[in-house]
Amino acid sequence: MTNLAYEATEQELMDQFIQRIEAGDKIEADDWMPEEYRTALIKLISMHGISEIMGAFPEKEWVPKAPSLHRKLGIMAKVQDEMGHGQLLLRVAEDLLKPYGKNRGDLMTDLFNGDLKFHNVFHMETKTWADAGLIGWLVDGAAIITQTNMLAASYGPYARALQRICAEEVFHAQHGEAIIMALAEGTDEQKQMVQDALNRWWPALLMFFGPPSSATTGSSKQDVTIKYKIRLSTNEELRQHYFTKYIPRILSLGLTIPDPTIHFDESQKLWIYRQPNWDDFKQIIKNKGPRSQERLNLRRTSYQNNAWVREALSTKAE
């Protein structure tokens, strides 16, 4: 009697995969996974990774202009951390790209030709030192809410990377908050600098979490990540959490939210607020934001100038 190896069908593999996710198991890079899951992970993690790298640029601009040596060292350390986060995440994405014969170099090509997006907030201008502080406090604060929502992600390598990243982002948020508090407790001119920065950044902060499902057309990408337990909450749930955490803190510094309509509705248990212009959001992520092309060109030049390092590292010893 001949023993034939049993090969599971696609549906059986899918059923086993869903059972593992429902049981809280972690999926690893070499495990079988449905194409939809792999694609969702690649899009999410590569965008997250490249956003960490591009997100260092707005603050990098303020390293030479920081008001003291102490502040200069702090923001330099933060920039270094963000670049490290980006490299860590691109390695995670690279493992998922292997079946397609692609690597990190292909992700950089995708960035430069506009196929790989980076986060809307990092297309914006940093006009003053208050902008640099506000990025650390409110932008990184938004990032912490988004990323802690994925600490239990079903994909093991991403969940493990997030453990380290989230721990460091807490220090980044504290760094930014310290800058903002010092300015808010300073001269009238410094207080106004913070208010002006908040006024400029408020629409971008609202857009940070992406549009609510009602503002999208067709199937929602966020539903795929929730379906496969990559994250737990929707865009709007994350935005509501952000309001609850940060609006009281903003107001406690004597700042004004640049939205006269915003309030908490007790009956609905929701923050009611004025929607940002989602058409602007679509233009920004198409690399048509205030500083999109300048930062892309900086990254492109850096990548080209350092090609020799990648070539040296990739050369096999004979």
Side-chain angles (χ1 to χ4, degrees):
M1 195 171 176
T2 304
N3 287 326
L4 298 176
Y6 174 75
E7 186 172 341
T9 66
E10 190 82 7
Q11 185 58 54
E12 288 173 329
L13 289 170
M14 184 65 175
D15 291 343
Q16 293 167 10
F17 177 82
I18 296 298
Q19 287 171 9
R20 288 188 61 191
I21 286 180
E22 293 296 336
D25 290 351
K26 296 299 182 189
I27 307 301
E28 301 297 335
D30 295 333
D31 291 344
W32 183 92
M33 63 185 74
E35 195 69 14
E36 184 181 45
Y37 181 75
R38 183 183 296 274
T39 300
L41 285 171
I42 290 171
K43 287 182 178 178
L44 173 63
I45 299 170
S46 58
M47 193 277 279
H48 185 179
I50 209 65
S51 294
E52 295 278 357
I53 292 172
M54 299 302 289
F57 290 167
E59 291 170 296
K60 171 185 173 294
E61 296 166 6
W62 279 90
V63 169
K65 299 180 284 187
S68 69
L69 179 59
H70 172 72
R71 295 299 188 196
K72 188 186 295 287
L73 291 172
I75 202 164
M76 285 174 63
K78 185 176 186 300
V79 167
Q80 182 178 0
D81 281 351
E82 305 295 15
M83 298 298 286
H85 295 170
Q87 294 300 327
L88 175 61
L89 290 165
L90 292 185
R91 288 190 179 96
V92 174
E94 190 171 38
D95 285 340
L96 291 160
L97 289 167
K98 286 179 180 177
Y100 306 121
K102 298 180 72 175
N103 57 32
R104 273 179 289 168
D106 295 300
L107 291 178
M108 298 311 300
T109 300
D110 289 345
L111 172 68
F112 299 144
N113 65 24
D115 291 333
L116 175 55
K117 312 299 183 185
F118 62 100
H119 214 291
N120 70 290
V121 288
F122 302 128
H123 296 254
M124 310 310 288
E125 297 179 273
T126 47
K127 294 184 177 182
T128 69
W129 177 241
D131 293 61
L134 192 139
I135 290 172
W137 183 35
L138 296 183
V139 172
D140 284 13
I144 290 168
I145 285 174
T146 300
Q147 292 165 19
T148 53
N149 191 250
M150 298 185 289
L151 282 175
S154 58
Y155 187 59
Y158 190 38
R160 291 190 290 272
L162 285 172
Q163 292 285 343
R164 170 182 169 179
I165 291 169
C166 287
E168 292 182 354
E169 291 290 359
V170 170
F171 288 106
H172 297 171
Q174 292 172 344
H175 158 83
E177 186 175 24
I179 293 172
I180 294 299
M181 288 183 68
L183 292 173
E185 295 171 355
T187 65
D188 290 343
E189 184 180 5
Q190 289 172 323
K191 294 174 187 176
Q192 188 58 48
M193 187 190 302
V194 176
Q195 183 65 60
D196 291 343
L198 179 62
N199 294 346
R200 284 193 298 274
W201 281 82
W202 186 253
L205 291 168
L206 292 182
M207 294 176 189
F208 185 96
F209 302 96
S213 296
S214 59
T216 60
T217 56
S219 61
S220 174
K221 294 178 182 177
Q222 62 183 296
D223 293 337
V224 175
T225 57
I226 292 173
K227 168 185 173 182
Y228 289 118
K229 296 188 180 299
I230 300 168
R231 66 171 181 163
L232 302 176
S233 304
T234 66
N235 291 349
E236 189 57 33
E237 287 169 343
L238 293 171
R239 191 163 23 246
Q240 290 288 326
H241 182 189
Y242 181 75
F243 287 152
T244 297
K245 182 175 182 180
Y246 281 98
I247 286 179
R249 297 186 185 191
I250 292 169
L251 296 177
S252 72
L253 293 180
L255 299 170
T256 301
I257 304 291
D259 176 2
T261 71
I262 198 163
H263 66 280
F264 188 74
D265 187 305
E266 290 289 351
S267 61
Q268 299 183 68
K269 301 299 181 185
L270 287 174
W271 287 93
I272 307 301
Y273 62 99
R274 184 172 54 206
Q275 290 286 325
N277 188 331
W278 291 109
D279 288 334
D280 286 349
F281 174 80
K282 292 173 184 176
Q283 291 302 308
I284 290 168
I285 62 173
K286 289 179 182 177
N287 296 329
K288 296 179 181 179
R291 298 296 288 273
S292 304
Q293 292 305 315
E294 183 174 345
R295 290 185 181 136
L296 279 169
N297 287 336
L298 180 60
R299 183 66 190 129
R300 187 181 289 109
T301 299
S302 175
Y303 191 72
Q304 293 169 348
N305 289 346
N306 292 288
W308 67 273
V309 177
R310 296 190 299 278
E311 291 168 7
L313 290 173
S314 66
T315 301
K316 294 182 179 179
E318 295 182 0

